[in-house]
Amino acid sequence: MTLMTGAQYIASLRKLNTRVYMFGKKIDNWVDHPIIRPSINCVAATYDLAHDPQYEDLMTATSSLTGHKINRFTHLHQSPDDLVKKVKMQRLLGQKTASCFQRCVGMDSFNAVYSTTYEIDQAHGTHYHENFKKFLIMVQDQDLTVDGAMTDPKGDRSKAPHEQSDPDMYVHVVERRPDGIVVCGAKCHQTGSVNSHWHIFMPTIAMHEADKDWAVSFSCPTDAEGLYMIYGRQSCDTRKLEGTPIDVGNVRYGGQEALVVLDHVFIPNEYIFLNGEYEFAGTMVERFAGYHRQSYGGCKVGVGDVVIGAAALAAEYNGVEKASHIKDKLIEMTHLNETLYCCGLACSCQGKMTKAGNCQIDLLLANVCKQNVTRFPYEIVRLAEDIAGGLMVTMPSQKDFESNTPVGRRGETISEICNKFFKTREDVSTEDRQRVLRFLENMCLGAAAVGYRTESMHGAGSPQAQRIMIQRQGNIEGKKELAKDIAGIKNKK
Ligand code: SF4
Ligand code: FE
């Protein structure tokens, strides 16, 4: 019943027996690993900010299940206002970390699974909703981080789960026992998987009767017997091993993705939320994806704020901040970024209550939000690179800027030569110039570009997934009727 601090969260991870592999080896002390630690720091920020009185209203909420004060990342949204606060919280965290802070996938799965299990129970007389409520009360009271895991490897994408030559291409039940099920399979590019306490697994596509064994959802501890992860590498990740923080760009924070493998993991009945009721697989997917597409109207906007700020600083450091084209580019970046925020807020304000009693985003607007996210951060990054100049990708290393090795005819060191030729305005240190350009490099094409660029494209579903939802939700028939009415067309066809 306590809100953990960041330090308590990190200490709690040390108690887990999580199995992590990277560069072909098992990583025993993964909590302190320099490649992994920035992503842990990022989740720790979701705990620390909840203790800051100025952010209390955004970062905490009152549990609808217990009445206890909880971290908003474990909350079931009770109103459109809660949905708006969620987006604002995500923008705040994006601003503070300039990274993917990972904890949203759990929050989005809580809200999707809560409403879906209620409807499954109504249709089938099952007890998944009670199972889920008990699980969520534990999560809320212990302030746990949970990874919402959805994306299966999918194998041959022209085939349904039961048609795959390898049944593990989608997570599935391999054995049913009186006390639970045994599951096999994997989930790809799972955000925040390694540093979560628990996982919630959900199907990744709508399913039919023949896919019954693949229509499964459950939770399990991250260190459950048979569960392990293979860490996903990121562009320039080994810079974090070089001991040169300036070259890393964002040394404190980062995102994290991994392949999560389930090798005959036993799931007791009380942690099962879907088990064969295949017609609800699609509902769960649609709801989780909808919430996560809303999320991007918050987190990417916060990260965008930092990118815009860094581009403005780079312009200032180069002495070009007064040029009209620079000002115009910053206006364009701001316009694009705030448009994404508008989308995140709009789908929240239009939220509706589900049968289970939590509040769900407007699905059409959430999909429009994410569709814009697949485009605008790319343009924002393009403009940031334009403003930053080529030095962002050609500058020598921090070690050169610090090297005492003599290099010039007059005995100057590499450091002196670098500092001489990369000097800019009198009132700006060369080190600050290095820092801002390396930060932009990190955001535009380094490790953080995972979170700001490619994740903007594929996270929460690739662009085509949103277009399908926009088509479904767009009500073209209703719009045709509007046109007929105004144009005086009586024909019913
Ligand atoms: Fe949260 Fe954004 Fe990361 Fe998704 S991509 S987990 S919404 S920070
Ligand atoms: Fe994501």
Side-chain angles (χ1 to χ4, degrees):
M1 241 183 71
T2 47
L3 292 173
M4 270 202 269
T5 62
Q8 286 167 336
Y9 158 69
I10 293 171
S12 73
L13 295 180
R14 294 186 194 282
K15 294 187 193 131
L16 302 178
N17 182 29
T18 307
R19 298 162 203 90
V20 188
Y21 296 82
M22 196 198 314
F23 299 139
K25 291 198 181 92
K26 185 158 188 280
I27 309 291
D28 289 323
N29 183 7
W30 54 271
V31 175
D32 297 313
H33 194 286
I35 288 184
I36 302 176
R37 185 53 182 262
S39 63
I40 295 173
N41 293 342
C42 233
V43 177
T46 71
Y47 287 93
D48 280 334
L49 284 179
H51 290 271
D52 188 332
Q54 64 173 311
Y55 302 127
E56 189 182 4
D57 187 44
L58 286 188
M59 295 298 307
T60 65
T62 302
S63 168
S64 56
L65 301 176
T66 62
H68 300 157
K69 183 179 176 182
I70 54 170
N71 190 300
R72 188 172 294 282
F73 278 98
T74 67
H75 189 44
L76 295 169
H77 316 300
Q78 296 299 299
S79 62
D81 186 49
D82 261 352
L83 291 170
V84 167
K85 282 183 179 162
K86 172 196 163 186
V87 169
K88 290 185 174 177
M89 169 180 78
Q90 289 167 313
R91 184 172 188 169
L92 172 72
L93 272 149
Q95 291 172 339
K96 297 284 185 194
T97 63
S99 300
C100 164
F101 35 90
Q102 308 145 57
R103 209 174 165 189
C104 331
V105 280
M107 166 174 57
D108 291 341
S109 71
F110 301 148
N111 280 276
V113 174
Y114 183 77
S115 63
T116 311
T117 50
Y118 183 88
E119 291 168 34
I120 306 170
D121 287 359
Q122 277 199 329
H124 290 275
T126 43
H127 298 283
Y128 301 138
H129 192 61
E130 279 311 306
N131 287 354
F132 183 72
K133 278 204 291 195
K134 270 189 212 142
F135 168 70
L136 190 60
I137 288 170
M138 174 191 77
V139 169
Q140 291 183 340
D141 281 352
Q142 296 182 27
D143 201 7
L144 301 177
T145 290
V146 178
D147 182 36
M150 178 160 278
T151 313
D152 293 273
K154 301 195 194 88
D156 178 346
R157 284 156 200 243
S158 68
K159 292 182 172 162
H162 73 278
E163 295 169 332
Q164 301 285 331
S165 53
D166 181 346
D168 290 349
M169 288 300 116
Y170 290 79
V171 169
H172 62 124
V173 180
V174 292
E175 192 188 338
R176 288 194 164 83
R177 297 183 191 165
D179 54 345
I181 53 176
V182 178
V183 293
C184 278
K187 296 286 183 184
C188 296
H189 27 82
Q190 286 311 303
T191 298
S193 165
V194 168
N195 46 342
S196 292
H197 303 101
W198 279 69
H199 277 61
I200 290 183
F201 291 87
M202 297 162 284
T204 199
I205 51 167
M207 292 185 189
H208 301 287
E209 193 167 2
D211 297 320
K212 246 180 153 174
D213 287 343
W214 287 263
V216 63
S217 174
F218 52 89
S219 60
C220 79
T222 297
D223 59 356
E225 203 56 50
L227 195 157
Y228 59 90
M229 291 117 182
I230 303 173
Y231 204 80
R233 77 171 311 177
Q234 300 171 335
S235 173
C236 309
D237 51 6
T238 46
R239 283 197 196 182
K240 292 173 186 161
L241 305 175
E242 293 173 7
T244 48
I246 294 178
D247 287 349
V248 175
N250 182 352
V251 76
R252 247 185 336 175
Y253 300 115
Q256 172 210 115
E257 272 79 26
L259 172 72
V260 185
V261 182
L262 295 155
D263 181 0
H264 296 86
V265 178
F266 175 69
I267 309 296
N269 284 332
E270 61 189 299
Y271 296 120
I272 299 174
F273 312 133
L274 173 76
N275 184 11
E277 297 78 8
Y278 58 90
E279 73 275 25
F280 283 96
T283 312
M284 209 178 260
V285 176
E286 195 173 284
R287 291 183 186 174
F288 172 78
Y291 281 119
H292 210 51
R293 289 168 194 173
Q294 170 213 22
S295 288
Y296 277 41
C299 77
K300 301 297 177 235
V301 180
V303 178
D305 287 328
V306 192
V307 174
I308 295 167
L313 272 179
E316 235 172 84
Y317 292 177
N318 285 338
V320 295
E321 76 275 20
K322 294 207 174 74
S324 62
H325 74 98
I326 296 285
K327 286 187 196 158
D328 193 55
K329 280 165 190 155
L330 291 170
I331 292 168
E332 179 65 10
M333 292 163 87
T334 305
H335 161 70
L336 292 169
N337 204 40
E338 297 300 336
T339 304
L340 298 180
Y341 191 47
C342 294
C343 293
L345 293 179
C347 67
S348 306
C349 293
Q350 295 295 304
K352 298 258 171 349
M353 303 311 284
T354 66
K355 287 182 196 159
N358 62 336
C359 195
Q360 186 176 293
I361 46 2
D362 181 283
L363 276 177
L364 174 60
L365 297 184
N367 279 278
V368 169
C369 176
K370 174 66 210 319
Q371 182 79 181
N372 283 332
V373 174
T374 66
R375 300 171 181 172
F376 296 177
Y378 284 80
E379 181 62 7
I380 291 170
V381 156
R382 191 184 73 78
L383 291 166
E385 287 190 26
D386 180 348
I387 293 172
L391 192 56
M392 183 185 103
V393 291
T394 63
M395 193 167 42
S397 69
Q398 181 182 343
K399 282 187 180 153
D400 290 312
F401 278 89
E402 292 167 355
S403 168
N404 289 324
T405 304
V407 68
R409 283 180 196 270
R410 290 178 294 260
E412 305 100 317
T413 63
I414 296 177
S415 165
E416 283 166 337
I417 293 296
C418 284
N419 280 290
K420 170 185 164 82
F421 287 112
F422 294 114
K423 187 168 166 41
T424 172
R425 301 159 43 147
E426 284 303 328
D427 57 346
V428 174
S429 74
T430 316
E431 184 182 313
D432 284 350
R433 194 179 186 207
Q434 276 179 77
R435 283 183 185 277
V436 82
L437 292 178
R438 285 294 180 213
F439 173 73
L440 278 169
E441 181 197 27
N442 173 253
M443 296 306 306
C444 299
L445 30 90
V450 177
Y452 193 56
R453 283 179 52 134
T454 316
E455 193 178 48
S456 288
M457 181 68 78
H458 292 295
S462 306
Q464 187 57 21
Q466 289 114 54
R467 298 186 82 77
I468 291 167
M469 283 301 290
I470 291 169
Q471 182 192 24
R472 264 194 227 151
Q473 303 272 332
N475 190 16
I476 296 292
E477 287 310 311
K479 292 181 170 87
K480 275 163 48 180
E481 289 308 314
L482 295 175
K484 277 192 203 168
D485 189 36
I486 304 245
I489 298 169
K490 303 269 185 288
N491 189 346
K492 290 277 175 232
K493 276 205 140 191

